[in-house]
């Protein structure tokens, strides 16, 4: 479906027009937080001490202040002051309950790794003596101890973004401290969001400023950082395809040793049936069966630990010698190249470690740390030691060591538990993939797709049909191709896992240097230690490139290409909109009638500009015989924070002089926020905020007049309730769309603390101009709302390079035609939509 195309059968109007550039064609500046748009009031700069008042030394150094005070920034400070965002500390019992729940969501993947680790390791190294077993066991022990425990539990989990984890969380964290986002729509008002501010744990260093300035100055570094994040995201999506395949096949393969005639073909068929069923039920959501996950995985981990202890005591308890890391050296000395190749199987013991960080938003740092340290880590150690002890007596069973080491009386129970655990591990990775794609969409790095919310209570539970069916088809293909064994899938799986870990290591190092401002030696030790280990593992899994290792690279390349093309095209489109925005001089020349007839009604125009009047508005003026009496420019903007509190979501201001009746609304969302506004509720909210704005505007004008009469020249521009106004025609709204009792209470307390005002200011008589504005608004409301949307076509200029023409005119155009339409994406009623064609030359 083409972008912004209205569904067939709707009564909307499609109008095709030529590109309108207005008076801003020649301007090449980007609208960032240092540029003051021509529509901004002519305020002067406050004193430097006043401008920086209330900010700590860290904020003064690391965050550049704007050159002028903007009305949206002032309003944002008011809202942030009234609504502090303070996360609540969980009680001990709540933390323990969360730790129990993490077993079913976070650790399912890592918990099923004993199904296939040793079978893959010893497919590359033959067991000739106990030295081979002890060396492999020592490798597994210290891999788990170093990567999940030392790296993730004690370091990476602390690099969270207000409780959110994952690759995009690290990227958004970096974007807040340095302007590295490729889309230049950041405003100082964004920094007033309560979840935007961060606590810096160490004194500031000049090094952090130098890194920040270097990242902001060189566009090549911005592109490199974006590619790194997109690569990590692509590998996570690849994990979502490979995890169900390897987990389900490993669990089902246990039937081969218990049922005669159950051959490889039967394993493939049963695995495909389970996978199809698993992906088919995604549309119903996981909330109804979610409560079963944690108990099932808890029982699975208990069985792993118990069977491991049983085998350890029964067969050979001396395998605990593997805690001596010297056996790793002996293992490599004896097997050399074979030992290095076996690292590809060893790394599978930490599959799912990235989920500890990626799923952090659903739990807490302390809960994940407790669950891993006291349940997952010891149970996995016992499981691997038990299998090693069994192999000392039965070395020929290395291919099916997990099921062979299970006592006969417990086989079917363990098989059922293994199948359930594999399914849960797959479910967790599928859900993580949905969340990852949604975050990428929010930050402008993925085409818009249909998102279905499967739970009314838990907004984070989503379902993306296109991604779901694509993953199902890919899983079935993977299982069908690698039907002989899981070794080739394991090779592919290893590359995806290690690749994501390397991306995380790089981004966390950047966070250490830029945000934490850690001691340089300690900051460099992190990538030197963990990065070196991961590079060694990566070299081992890359050696299996032709034996299945190519698969995740194909997936990653495909998704990386899609995401980068979409981001590249979106940035060029935004730059074109900024260059071609309509100048205020042109609007003043048109006059309050806008050069046409103004009819009663409210027109809502969706656009991406945070400042200025979009050129598409000129297209509507040219194409329509009349325009509505009230115009609202709505900009839906995603901020690099996980969640924007509801009361801080909307900013409102006036555009052009008062008699133009034109306003701007900026709706701000975090990358974890879910947009489910009903257009009726939005319209009601918009009308209420407009009325509040008009009343507040009249009060402020009276207040301003009274203050000047009292000759109160010492009133600061940054004062909370009383600010000097320059141009009556450029009055601004300081009341957020979501205005609740807390903000009213805050305003009341401030009014009580304010000095006495003259009676002329406190007069309760209704201002005639206010009464007129309110009557105009009511008349517009009675006439209804109309939504203006642009059917944008992006084309490369004729003088562009061939590659740019290929990317923009074909690949990006194809993605725009087949992504979710604008009317559906913005939840606007089709019956009230007007569309006009627009061609952007980039």
């Amino acid at each position: 479906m083409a972008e912004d195309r209205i569904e067939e059968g709707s009564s909307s109007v499609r109008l095709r027009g030529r590109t309108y550039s207005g008076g801003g064609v020649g301007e090449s500046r980007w609208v960032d937080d240092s540029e003051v748009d021509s529509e901004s009031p002519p305020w002067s700069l406050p004193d430097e001490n006043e401008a920086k008042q209330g900010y700590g030394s860290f904020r003064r150094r690391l965050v550049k202040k704007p050159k002028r005070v903007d009305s949206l920034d002032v309003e944002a400070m008011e809202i942030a002051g009234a609504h502090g965002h303070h996360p609540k500390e969980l009680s001990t019992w709540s933390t323990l309950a969360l730790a129990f729940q993490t077993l079913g969501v976070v650790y399912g993947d890592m918990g099923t790794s004993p199904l296939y680790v040793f079978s893959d390791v010893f497919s590359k190294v033959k067991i000739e003596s106990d030295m081979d077993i002890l060396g492999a066991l020592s490798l597994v022990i210290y891999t788990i101890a170093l990567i999940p425990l030392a790296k993730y539990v004690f370091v990476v989990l602390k690099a969270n973004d207000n409780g959110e984890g994952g690759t995009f969380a690290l990227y958004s964290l970096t974007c807040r401290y340095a302007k590295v986002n490729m889309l230049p729509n950041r405003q100082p008002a964004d920094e007033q969001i309560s979840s935007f501010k961060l606590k810096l744990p160490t004194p500031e260093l000049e090094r952090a400023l130098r890194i920040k300035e270097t990242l902001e100055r060189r566009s090549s570094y911005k592109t490199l950082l974006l590619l790194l994040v997109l690569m990590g995201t692509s590998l996570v999506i690849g994990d979502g395809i490979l995890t169900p395949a390897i987990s389900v096949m490993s669990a089902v393969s246990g039937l081969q040793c218990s049922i005669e005639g159950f051959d490889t073909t039967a394993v493939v068929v049963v695995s495909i049936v389970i996978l199809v069923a698993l992906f088919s039920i995604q549309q119903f959501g996981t909330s109804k069966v979610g409560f079963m996950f944690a108990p099932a995985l808890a029982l699975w981990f208990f069985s792993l630990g118990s069977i491991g202890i049983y085998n350890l005591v029964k067969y050979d308890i001396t395998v605990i010698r593997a805690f001596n890391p010297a056996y790793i050296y002996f293992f490599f000395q004896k097997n050399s190249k074979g030992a290095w190749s076996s690292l590809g199987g060893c790394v599978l013991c930490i599959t799912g470690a990235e989920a500890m960080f990626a799923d952090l938003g659903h739990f807490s740092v302390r809960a994940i740390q407790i669950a891993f340290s006291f349940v997952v880590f010891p149970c996995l150690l016992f499981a691997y030691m038990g299998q090693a002890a069994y192999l000392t007596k039965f070395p020929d069973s290395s291919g099916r060591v997990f099921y062979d080491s299970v006592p006969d009386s417990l086989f079917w129970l363990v098989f059922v538990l293994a199948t359930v655990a594999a399914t849960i591990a797959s479910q967790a990775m599928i859900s993580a993939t949905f969340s990852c794609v949604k975050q990428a969409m929010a930050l402008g790095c993925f085409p818009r797709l249909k998102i279905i919310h499967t739970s009314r209570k838990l907004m984070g539970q989503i379902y993306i049909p296109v991604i779901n069916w694509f993953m199902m088809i890919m899983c079935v293909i993977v299982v069908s191709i690698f039907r002989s064994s899981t070794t080739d899938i394991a090779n592919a799986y290893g590359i995806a896992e290690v690749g994501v870990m390397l991306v995380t290591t790089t981004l966390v190092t950047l966070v250490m240097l830029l945000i934490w401002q850690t001691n340089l030696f300690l900051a460099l030790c992190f990538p030197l230690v963990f990065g070196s280990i991961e590079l060694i593992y990566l070299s081992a899994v890359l050696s299996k490139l032709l034996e299945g290792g190519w698969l995740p690279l194909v997936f990653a390349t495909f998704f990386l290409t899609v995401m980068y093309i979409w981001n590249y095209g979106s940035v060029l489109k935004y730059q074109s909109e900024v260059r071609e925005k309509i100048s205020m001089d042109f609007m003043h020349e048109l006059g309050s009638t806008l050069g046409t007839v103004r009819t009663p009604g409210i027109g809502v125009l969706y656009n991406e500009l945070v400042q200025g009047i979009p050129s598409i508005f000129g297209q509507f003026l040219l194409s329509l015989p009349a325009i509505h009496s009230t115009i609202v420019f709505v900009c839906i903007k995603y901020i690099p924070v996980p969640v924007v509190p509801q009361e801080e979501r909307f900013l409102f201001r006036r555009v052009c002089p008062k008699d133009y009746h034109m306003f701007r609304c900026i709706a701000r969302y975090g990358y974890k926020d879910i947009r489910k506004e009903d257009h009726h509720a939005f319209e009601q909210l918009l009308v209420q905020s407009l009325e509040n704005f008009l009343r507040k505007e009249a009060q402020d004008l009276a207040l301003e007049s009274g203050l000047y009469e009292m000759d109160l020249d010492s009133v600061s521009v940054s004062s909370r309730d009383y600010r000097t106004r320059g141009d009556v025609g450029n009055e601004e709204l300081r009341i957020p769309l979501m205005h609740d009792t807390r903000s009213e209470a805050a305003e009341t307390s401030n009014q009580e603390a304010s000095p006495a005002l003259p009676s002329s200011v406190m007069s309760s008589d209704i201002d005639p101009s206010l009464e007129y504005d309110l009557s105009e608004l009511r008349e517009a409301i009675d006439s209804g709302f109309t939504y203006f949307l642009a059917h944008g076509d992006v084309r490369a200029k004729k003088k562009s390079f061939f590659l740019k023409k290929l990317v923009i005119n074909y690949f990006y155009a194809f993605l725009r035609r087949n992504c979710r339409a604008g009317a559906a994406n913005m939840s606007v009623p089709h019956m009230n939509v007007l569309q006009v064609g627009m061609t952007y030359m980039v």
Side-chain angles (χ1 to χ4, degrees), residues 103-131:
L103 297 177
V105 177
V106 177
Y107 298 111
D109 198 2
M110 196 180 300
T112 55
S113 59
L115 288 170
Y116 43 78
V117 168
F118 275 149
S119 61
D120 190 82
V121 168
F122 292 117
S123 68
K124 301 174 178 66
V125 175
K126 293 183 179 180
I127 300 177
E128 297 176 352
S129 65
D130 289 350
M131 187 68 65

Side-chain angles (χ1 to χ4, degrees), residues 587 591-594 596-605 617 621 624-633 654-663 690 694 772-786 788 834:
M587 295 299 298
S592 61
T593 61
L594 300 178
T596 183
V597 180
R598 304 293 295 268
T599 60
I602 298 178
V604 179
L605 192 151
F617 183 63
L621 293 179
L624 298 179
I627 201 71
H628 296 76
S629 58
T630 301
I631 301 294
V632 181
F633 298 104
R654 185 184 286 277
V655 180
C656 298
K658 288 184 63 176
D659 55 346
Y660 280 58
H661 298 288
M662 296 170 63
F663 308 91
L690 278 175
L694 294 174
Y772 172 78
D773 288 339
L774 291 177
S775 63
E776 285 285 319
L777 178 60
R778 295 189 184 99
E779 183 180 0
I781 295 170
D782 294 338
S783 299
F785 282 75
T786 300
F788 298 113
L834 286 176

Side-chain angles (χ1 to χ4, degrees), residues 128-137 326-327 330-331 334-335:
E128 297 176 352
S129 65
D130 289 350
M131 187 68 65
D132 298 320
I133 299 174
L134 292 175
L137 177 60
Y327 283 99
F330 298 146
F331 182 69
K334 178 178 181 297
N335 298 284

Side-chain angles (χ1 to χ4, degrees), residues 517-529:
Q517 301 163 12
T518 310
N519 179 272
L520 185 60
F521 174 76
L522 295 177
L524 292 180
C525 282
F526 181 77
L528 285 176
V529 174

Side-chain angles (χ1 to χ4, degrees), residues 153-165:
V153 170
F154 292 111
V155 180
V156 174
L157 287 180
K158 296 181 180 179
N160 62 85
D161 182 12
N162 291 318
E164 297 291 339

